[in-house]
Amino acid sequence: MKITYTSNWAKELLEKVTITQEKYDLKSIILSDWFDHNPTTAEIFERMEKEGLDYCPPDAFNQIAETMKNGDWITLGMKPILDRDGDPVVFSLYSVGDGLKLNGYIASPDIGWNAGRGFVFCLRKSSDPLTLSPSLESAIAEVKKAGYVIYKPI
């Protein structure tokens, strides 16, 4: 779908964003897949880390818009941008008629989100494809400490 309306709030944020044509590796989730309650922004970003995901660049909304259908409502899992009042804000896209609206939403750490809300994050990039995540390194260390040997496949 095409973005047909941009709120004044989103326009203010766009002044602080560099728009690129880069394509990102994205993962969308429904918060209820991760939580049995309405989580706060802090809880969402903590879980993002635990799941091995990363913040999306703010301009990822263009790529997300290409895949949205009527009735979709998606929030971009991005590092919040401070608006003119100093509030941390993230982008959100939702369908309106035959187009999409780009808007901003306050994302203070203690703000609660409806567990039915969809979020999009980026897959974590590694500069070295053989680098292990900290949690995997920790698990391997525990296995070795227990006396087990780990063999690499040939």
Side-chain angles (χ1 to χ4, degrees):
M1 294 182 87
K2 185 175 179 170
I3 296 173
T4 54
Y5 178 79
T6 303
S7 72
N8 288 335
W9 204 4
K11 287 176 187 174
E12 176 190 332
L13 299 179
L14 286 171
E15 293 174 6
K16 301 177 180 188
V17 173
T18 301
I19 304 296
T20 70
Q21 297 303 313
E22 186 172 345
K23 295 292 182 187
Y24 304 102
D25 292 323
L26 304 173
K27 166 124 177 114
S28 61
I29 61 107
I30 303 296
L31 292 176
S32 62
D33 292 341
W34 286 358
F35 301 98
D36 60 1
H37 62 283
N38 292 336
T40 64
T41 303
E43 289 175 305
I44 295 166
F45 290 154
E46 253 179 54
R47 184 65 184 260
M48 171 196 76
E49 288 280 331
K50 182 180 172 189
E51 296 293 329
L53 299 171
D54 210 347
Y55 295 104
C56 284
D59 69 328
F61 67 81
N62 282 320
Q63 182 179 341
I64 295 164
E66 295 171 6
T67 63
M68 290 183 65
K69 300 178 195 86
N70 196 16
D72 286 349
W73 188 327
I74 299 288
T75 299
L76 189 58
M78 58 183 262
K79 288 183 181 175
I81 300 170
L82 296 181
D83 69 5
R84 69 176 164 260
D85 297 325
D87 292 318
V89 180
V90 295
F91 286 124
S92 189
L93 284 163
Y94 55 95
S95 61
V96 282
D98 59 352
L100 291 173
K101 179 176 182 176
L102 178 64
N103 202 0
Y105 276 87
I106 291 182
S108 299
D110 59 340
I111 291 285
W113 295 84
N114 184 303
R117 176 69 67 105
F119 264 74
V120 175
F121 299 98
C122 281
L123 299 180
R124 186 163 295 149
K125 291 182 181 178
S126 172
S127 57
D128 177 1
L130 299 177
T131 301
L132 300 176
S133 71
S135 59
L136 184 56
E137 285 180 5
S138 174
I140 290 171
E142 288 297 315
V143 168
K144 286 181 177 178
K145 193 162 89 176
Y148 293 95
V149 178
I150 299 174
Y151 295 97
K152 282 181 147 180
I154 300 176

